Amino acid sequence: HWLSNLENFLLNDQIKSSHLLFFHSVNKSDQGRPFRGNAFLIRKNVFTNINIVFKNDHIFVIKTEEKGLTLFIIGIYLPSSKNNESSLEDYVNQISVIQGIIDSCEDEGELIILGDFQSFPLKMYESYSRCSNKFNLFSGYLSQFLESNELQLVDVIDASGPLFTYHLNTLPNFSYIAHIALLKNTSLKYSNCEVHSQNSLNLSDHLPISIKITYTENQKMLQKNDTSKIVNDNIIPNYS
């Protein structure tokens, strides 16, 4: 979500009885979008213990602990690609920040990374026809980041809906740059991932992505029990 401070105030007034609003705005730009940032709308009847872990102009991380599950949700709005060295450097720097967050959090709980990645995985990117002859310089770095952290873009591998998430009406180009990433070995169960088609209620040039994620304490216990059956007596398993 990208909100101005006024929109933030008005929205919070409308939903304060049912939701918590966590919002980090970015200073107004001289060019491009006038307001930027990341926001979370959290249902009060689902999540009760929420803490802000990290925030900068491109990354916003919250932590929640519910029913035996510690969950880190990393909302991102990464620097856009201008196909030059400066924007590439900004992108790589922010990817490095996310890497540091993952390194510090992954042993403590589950991870969800979602938002505007500004790119598409390289190998898939090369396999499909593109609307523009300009190649996105970020693509290789995104692929490397996903592979090194054993992450998967669940919207890419298992979603319905349009095959793009961004389209500016004044340009002919369509881009698939917003994603939802989960660990490949996650204990979270997900379904109903969808890129939603454009409609009159959506005034943005981005299409929304949704996903249903479920978790039970029994899942966690079952995973541990299954793993213990194959552990050698001379090896200490990771979960210990």
Side-chain angles (χ1 to χ4, degrees):
H1 301 276
W2 300 274
L3 306 170
S4 69
N5 288 325
L6 175 59
E7 289 169 328
N8 174 28
F9 173 79
L10 294 174
L11 178 60
N12 195 38
D13 186 62
Q14 293 292 319
I15 54 88
K16 61 184 178 182
S17 63
S18 59
H19 290 72
L20 295 171
L21 173 61
F22 294 87
F23 174 54
H24 178 64
S25 63
V26 181
N27 291 332
K28 185 175 180 179
S29 303
D30 293 332
Q31 295 179 338
R33 298 182 183 277
F35 299 99
R36 296 173 293 162
N38 281 290
F40 291 102
L41 287 175
I42 308 294
R43 291 180 186 267
K44 290 182 177 180
N45 63 348
V46 177
F47 298 100
T48 58
N49 187 5
I50 302 168
N51 294 291
I52 297 174
V53 175
F54 177 87
K55 59 182 178 180
N56 68 11
D57 286 356
H58 297 282
I59 304 164
F60 194 8
V61 186
I62 60 174
K63 173 185 176 182
T64 179
E65 298 174 90
E66 307 288 339
K67 299 179 180 178
L69 170 67
T70 299
L71 180 64
F72 295 90
I73 305 176
I74 305 173
I76 61 174
Y77 178 35
L78 295 182
S80 59
S81 175
K82 298 180 176 64
N83 281 319
N84 58 36
E85 290 300 320
S86 177
S87 65
L88 179 59
E89 183 179 353
D90 289 343
Y91 189 80
V92 172
N93 287 340
Q94 294 304 316
I95 287 289
S96 298
V97 172
I98 300 173
Q99 181 66 68
I101 294 168
I102 292 174
D103 292 342
S104 64
C105 296
E106 62 180 347
D107 291 335
E108 188 178 345
E110 288 286 349
L111 299 170
I112 301 174
I113 309 174
L114 70 170
D116 195 343
F117 285 74
Q118 300 287 0
S119 189
F120 193 82
L122 180 62
K123 293 179 181 178
M124 294 183 179
Y125 192 21
E126 291 177 328
S127 302
Y128 292 94
S129 59
R130 302 192 303 274
C131 298
S132 172
N133 292 326
K134 290 184 178 180
F135 197 86
N136 189 319
L137 295 177
F138 296 170
S139 189
Y141 290 91
L142 174 59
S143 289
Q144 184 179 12
F145 167 75
L146 295 171
E147 291 172 7
S148 63
N149 290 284
E150 297 187 347
L151 289 161
Q152 57 185 350
L153 300 181
V154 293
D155 59 280
V156 172
I157 64 174
D158 192 20
S160 59
L163 298 178
F164 67 95
T165 61
Y166 172 79
H167 171 56
L168 191 61
N169 289 332
T170 57
L171 296 175
N173 301 337
F174 293 80
S175 302
Y176 196 151
I177 56 178
H179 304 290
I180 300 172
L182 297 175
L183 293 169
K184 291 181 179 179
N185 64 343
T186 182
S187 63
L188 301 174
K189 303 297 182 182
Y190 69 90
S191 61
N192 302 343
C193 191
E194 181 179 359
V195 178
H196 294 267
S197 299
Q198 184 62 281
N199 64 64
S200 59
L201 295 177
N202 182 10
L203 302 180
S204 171
D205 45 21
H206 286 259
L207 298 180
I209 300 180
S210 66
I211 189 170
K212 180 180 180 181
I213 293 177
T214 57
Y215 172 84
T216 64
E217 290 183 271
N218 291 337
Q219 285 175 221
K220 192 173 183 179
M221 292 303 298
L222 181 61
Q223 278 203 340
K224 287 188 176 182
N225 291 336
D226 287 348
T227 305
S228 64
K229 294 176 183 177
I230 61 172
V231 171
N232 186 295
D233 290 339
N234 297 319
I235 299 175
I236 300 176
N238 289 336
Y239 65 80
S240 297

